[in-house]
Amino acid sequence: MKTIDDFNFSDKKALIRVDFNVPLNEEFKVTDATRIEAAKPTIIKVLEDGGSAVLMSHLGRPKGQPNPDMSLKHIIDKVSEIIGVQVKFAEDCVGDVAEKAVADLKPGEVLLLENLRFHAEEEKGDEAFSEQLSKLGDIYVNDAFGTAHRAHASTTIVAKYFGDNKCFGYLLANEIEAIDKVLASGEKPVTAILGGSKVSSKITIIENILDKVDNLIIGGGMTYTFVKAQGGKIGDSICEDDKQDLALSILEKAKSKGVNIYLPVDVVAADDFSNTANTQVSAVDNIPDGWQGLDAGPKTLENFKKVILESKTILWNGPVGVFEMESFAKGTIAIGNFIDEATKNGAFSLVGGGDSVAAVKQFGFEDKVSYVSTGGGAMLESLEGKTLPGIAAILK
Ligand code: AMP
């Protein structure tokens, strides 16, 4: 794997695809700079080598049209503050304006290009547009995991114009390494904890990881499709009736592959989908009509705890309850605490994909797990076993 450490950027211009798609408030101020912070080590490495950095990113969904609300101008101050260098700006990401700005760039300087998605060609992966982008640097560095699953001009197509002069930035390399640790080279026992609302959105992940894990913990809304398929009474709990056969076949497959599956045995059931609903703990396969399971129960959490604490490698994707409501967040918080404990005991833990990161941030587990992925969709597709186009383009 070719990373940024394989290059010396002295007197070179690095064209770096970053993911600066950050949230802005009504005054166009950055409200969460995590993604900018995440790209910092890569940018600093280029500058410390004596090179200059040309940063390209998208922001929002301008749909191929310039839109002042989504200009990357809004983030110049924040990027300058984080990198510690006054960042220059080019009003367009291709053409004369961009090329002139790059030509004027001196070692130690940083140039931010205007939003890539102001050009429809970006998302189309247009060749001519990609070639224009490729004129803006000597070495192409991809450090945007969040868009690595898209075959866009700046994330994938542009790479082919750089021959061997292309590599992964630190962030993207770390993401690849973390996924590899969990799915390929992790110390056993390897445990995946999958939650979230629907079997249908997680099925490809489940099928892929059955070949790679020792234990699979299933929680959250997915539970009830499995329980009903096995003849349990789930009351009014969320269920995908058309996925019951699929659930049974997953259980069969797990058995034949020697993977231990752990499903909830008890749940916190509520008489309404509301934070103020009445609640009771009930057996997962005997939930009264009019009640729905919204969080993992105490016996379930004891079982899950035992498995998690015995694990050496842990993957967590998806909450085990409706964590957005305080009354049903306890299970998800408990899982976070068990993973924290296992990590302190030496396990490698990776959290990522979809909503998981939101839950982890909300409850302050960010610093307690080994790695929190920065890519929602990209992480989900990696867990599904797909080769991401942005990663493949560098490896080619
Ligand atoms: P996902 O995006 O598939 O990871 O699903 C995350 C969502 O699943 C969160 O918004 C949770 O509120 C929801 N969820 C978790 N457990 C349940 C449950 N028992 N019933 C309904 N929704 C749930």
Side-chain angles (χ1 to χ4, degrees), residues 225 229 240-251:
T225 304
E240 289 169 284
D241 281 330
D242 60 334
K243 295 291 176 296
Q244 289 186 54
D245 288 344
L246 191 62
L248 291 177
S249 81
I250 290 170
L251 296 177

Side-chain angles (χ1 to χ4, degrees), residues 196-197 201-202 220-221 224 238 273 293-294 318-324 355:
S197 50
S201 63
K202 299 287 160 88
Y224 308 98
I238 185 173
F273 190 80
L294 294 183
V320 296
V322 184
F323 74 98
E324 297 93 337
D355 261 355

Side-chain angles (χ1 to χ4, degrees), residues 68-362:
D69 288 356
M70 297 175 205
S71 171
L72 281 166
K73 246 184 209 168
H74 301 304
I75 74 165
I76 297 173
D77 287 348
K78 197 68 189 173
V79 181
S80 302
E81 177 192 321
I82 289 172
I83 307 300
V85 168
Q86 183 55 48
V87 170
K88 300 185 162 184
F89 187 73
E91 304 271 347
D92 199 352
C93 64
V94 286
D96 293 344
V97 173
E99 285 173 31
K100 166 107 185 27
V102 169
D104 291 344
L105 205 61
K106 296 183 189 64
E109 292 186 335
V110 178
L111 173 71
L112 177 64
L113 304 174
E114 182 55 290
N115 196 337
L116 291 156
R117 292 193 187 169
F118 284 0
H119 294 263
E121 292 90 341
E122 160 66 0
E123 289 183 78
K124 287 184 187 143
D126 183 82
E127 302 262 341
F129 179 75
S130 305
E131 194 176 1
Q132 275 191 293
L133 286 175
S134 75
K135 291 182 190 164
L136 307 177
D138 306 306
I139 300 166
Y140 171 64
V141 182
N142 192 350
D143 210 23
F145 182 66
T147 47
H149 59 315
R150 307 278 185 223
H152 294 168
S154 68
T155 63
T156 303
I157 315 301
V158 70
K160 71 178 177 193
Y161 298 99
F162 285 89
D164 287 337
N165 288 330
K166 58 188 178 210
C167 63
F168 297 113
Y170 291 121
L171 173 66
L172 189 41
N174 287 342
E175 293 274 358
I176 296 169
E177 211 174 286
I179 296 164
D180 180 81
K181 255 193 196 165
V182 167
L183 295 185
S185 63
E187 202 182 328
K188 285 171 164 291
V190 181
T191 298
I193 305 150
L194 293 186
S197 50
K198 289 178 178 168
V199 179
S200 52
S201 63
K202 299 287 160 88
I203 181 62
T204 327
I205 297 182
I206 297 178
E207 283 176 340
N208 183 43
I209 63 175
L210 278 182
D211 287 321
K212 315 194 191 289
V213 302
D214 304 295
N215 305 307
L216 174 58
I217 290 176
I218 293 178
M222 274 198 287
T223 305
Y224 308 98
T225 304
F226 283 90
V227 172
K228 188 170 177 187
Q230 292 174 288
K233 193 168 166 289
I234 61 164
D236 294 354
S237 305
I238 185 173
C239 180
E240 289 169 284
D241 281 330
D242 60 334
K243 295 291 176 296
Q244 289 186 54
D245 288 344
L246 191 62
L248 291 177
S249 81
I250 290 170
L251 296 177
E252 272 304 309
K253 256 190 216 159
K255 212 173 175 187
S256 72
K257 290 177 191 286
V259 176
N260 305 308
I261 291 214
Y262 299 90
L263 278 157
V265 291
D266 61 351
V267 296
V268 176
D271 62 358
D272 189 16
F273 190 80
S274 143
N275 195 33
T276 51
N278 296 305
T279 62
Q280 59 172 308
V281 172
S282 97
V284 73
D285 57 356
N286 196 17
I287 301 172
D289 289 337
W291 293 71
Q292 52 188 307
L294 294 183
D295 199 6
K299 278 190 206 136
T300 299
L301 291 173
E302 270 310 304
N303 294 347
F304 289 0
K305 179 179 183 179
K306 194 163 174 291
V307 180
I308 292 169
L309 290 186
E310 284 170 0
S311 303
K312 289 275 175 266
T313 303
I314 301 163
L315 163 71
W316 184 19
N317 170 268
V320 296
V322 184
F323 74 98
E324 297 93 337
M325 294 187 221
E326 201 188 339
S327 306
F328 310 106
K330 291 188 193 79
T332 300
I333 294 172
I335 297 290
N337 283 324
F338 303 153
I339 297 176
D340 176 19
E341 203 176 327
T343 309
K344 285 197 180 105
N345 292 339
F348 177 82
S349 52
L350 164 64
V351 181
D355 261 355
S356 321
V357 176
V360 163
K361 279 190 180 170
Q362 185 176 328

